[in-house]
């Protein structure tokens, strides 16, 4: 059972380049999330998708866009990467019905912007 | 909006020492509380969770946490740590929205190093 799968695991970009982080879950979960993890700041929510067809901003959405492609997939796009976006990005999912908040995380994508 | 504070950013212990990591949240309503652990190079895993009932919650690997509603706290404890407990620990609280979905708000994390 794969759970939550993120690609790529590592990426180096130059300032101004664009890229998309891919995330897929095979648990039939309704809700999906993108977090960034920075030292001393914990995990901060970038965007989330409560259900297929909806997306909403989290705490730190500036510089990012998302697409909920279908129930399984939720991608995060950096249109013009900046050094401040150097971080580890985690995708997560959770069931909606009866959910009490537990998230299931992917293994993370480490992004460096030079 | 909900917020979570973890008091200790770095903790260094010797094996067999006792551990207590502090966590406080800001919202006083009904909450679900979590501790996640991130071992070096790995993704976050659920350590334990509190939804309702007994305020003393037991999780995996001998960890436990106590929910004290009057103090808005959910501290993590372990009587005797092992080297393999070296990891970063995150406290989290869920924030509910209409429609039944929710999102987790995380604390800044506590990095624990256990020396043999």
């Amino acid at each position: 059972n794969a759970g939550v799968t993120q690609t790529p695991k590592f990426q180096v970009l130059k300032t101004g380049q664009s890229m998309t982080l891919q995330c897929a879950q095979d648990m039939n979960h309704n809700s999906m999330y993108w977090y960034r993890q920075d030292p001393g700041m914990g995990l901060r929510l970038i965007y989330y998708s409560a259900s297929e067809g909806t997306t909403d901003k989290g705490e730190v959405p500036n510089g990012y866009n998302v697409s909920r492609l279908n129930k399984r997939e939720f991608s995060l796009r950096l249109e013009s990467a900046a050094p401040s976006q150097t971080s580890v990005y985690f995708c997560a999912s959770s069931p909606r019905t009866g959910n009490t908040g537990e998230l299931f995380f992917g293994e993370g994508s480490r992004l460096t912007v030079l | 909006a909900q917020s979570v504070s973890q008091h200790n950013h770095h903790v260094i212990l010797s094996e067999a020492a006792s551990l207590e990591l502090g966590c406080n949240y800001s919202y006083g309503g009904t909450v679900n509380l979590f501790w996640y652990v991130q071992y070096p190079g790995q993704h976050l895993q659920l350590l334990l969770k509190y939804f309702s009932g007994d305020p003393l919650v037991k999780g995996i690997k001998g960890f436990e946490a106590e929910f004290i509603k009057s103090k808005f706290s959910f501290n993590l404890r372990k009587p005797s740590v092992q080297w393999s407990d070296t990891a970063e620990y995150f406290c989290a609280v869920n924030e509910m929205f209409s429609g039944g979905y929710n999102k987790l708000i995380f604390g800044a994390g506590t990095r624990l190093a256990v020396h043999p």
Side-chain angles (χ1 to χ4, degrees):
Chain A
N1 198 356
V4 179
T5 304
Q6 293 179 230
T7 55
K9 288 186 168 47
F10 300 94
Q11 183 72 50
V12 178
L13 292 177
K14 294 181 180 179
T15 297
Q17 288 184 318
S18 63
M19 76 157 297
T20 299
L21 299 176
Q22 307 286 354
C23 175
Q25 52 90 10
D26 62 2
M27 296 174 284
N28 200 35
H29 286 172
N30 286 297
S31 300
M32 297 186 73
Y33 311 79
W34 276 105
Y35 284 86
R36 61 177 288 173
Q37 182 184 22
D38 301 291
M41 304 188 76
L43 279 79
R44 293 180 292 169
L45 184 64
I46 305 171
Y47 270 93
Y48 62 99
S49 171
S51 60
E52 186 179 354
T54 69
T55 61
D56 286 284
K57 296 178 180 179
E59 303 168 71
V60 288
N62 291 345
Y64 304 95
N65 284 300
V66 290
S67 296
R68 184 73 183 267
L69 304 170
N70 47 55
K71 191 172 184 178
R72 291 186 64 249
E73 298 173 287
F74 187 41
S75 63
L76 178 71
R77 183 161 179 84
L78 287 70
E79 292 290 352
S80 179
S84 61
Q85 294 178 304
T86 293
S87 187
V88 181
Y89 293 85
F90 286 97
C91 179
S93 69
S94 68
R96 176 177 171 177
T97 304
N99 180 42
T100 46
E102 181 178 352
L103 298 186
F104 297 80
F105 285 88
E107 294 189 348
S109 299
R110 185 175 294 274
L111 175 65
T112 301
V113 183
L114 302 176
Chain B
Q2 185 65 268
S3 65
V4 178
S5 297
Q6 291 184 239
H7 315 299
N8 314 99
H9 296 296
H10 296 276
V11 173
I12 302 173
L13 295 174
S14 299
E15 277 193 316
S18 64
L19 170 71
E20 180 160 3
L21 302 181
C23 173
N24 288 89
Y25 61 95
S26 60
Y27 178 61
T30 301
V31 292
N32 297 321
L33 296 156
F34 305 81
W35 277 96
Y36 280 83
V37 60
Q38 186 178 27
Y39 297 104
Q42 297 187 26
H43 63 287
L44 278 82
Q45 307 169 38
L46 183 66
L47 198 56
L48 49 77
K49 57 189 177 185
Y50 172 80
F51 294 159
S52 63
D54 189 343
L56 185 61
V57 179
K58 294 192 184 299
I60 60 172
K61 302 185 181 185
F63 285 91
E64 65 180 30
E66 185 175 12
F67 171 54
I68 303 179
K69 190 174 183 178
S70 61
K71 294 184 178 181
F72 299 93
S73 71
F74 189 56
N75 292 353
L76 181 71
R77 300 194 292 249
K78 186 171 184 179
S80 176
V81 295
Q82 300 173 316
W83 176 79
S84 59
D85 294 324
T86 294
E88 191 159 14
Y89 294 81
F90 294 92
C91 181
V93 60
N94 76 314
E95 192 167 0
M96 295 292 296
F97 293 85
S98 61
Y101 66 90
N102 62 81
K103 62 182 181 181
L104 285 191
I105 307 300
F106 286 85
T110 297
R111 195 176 294 270
L112 172 66
V114 180
H115 294 297

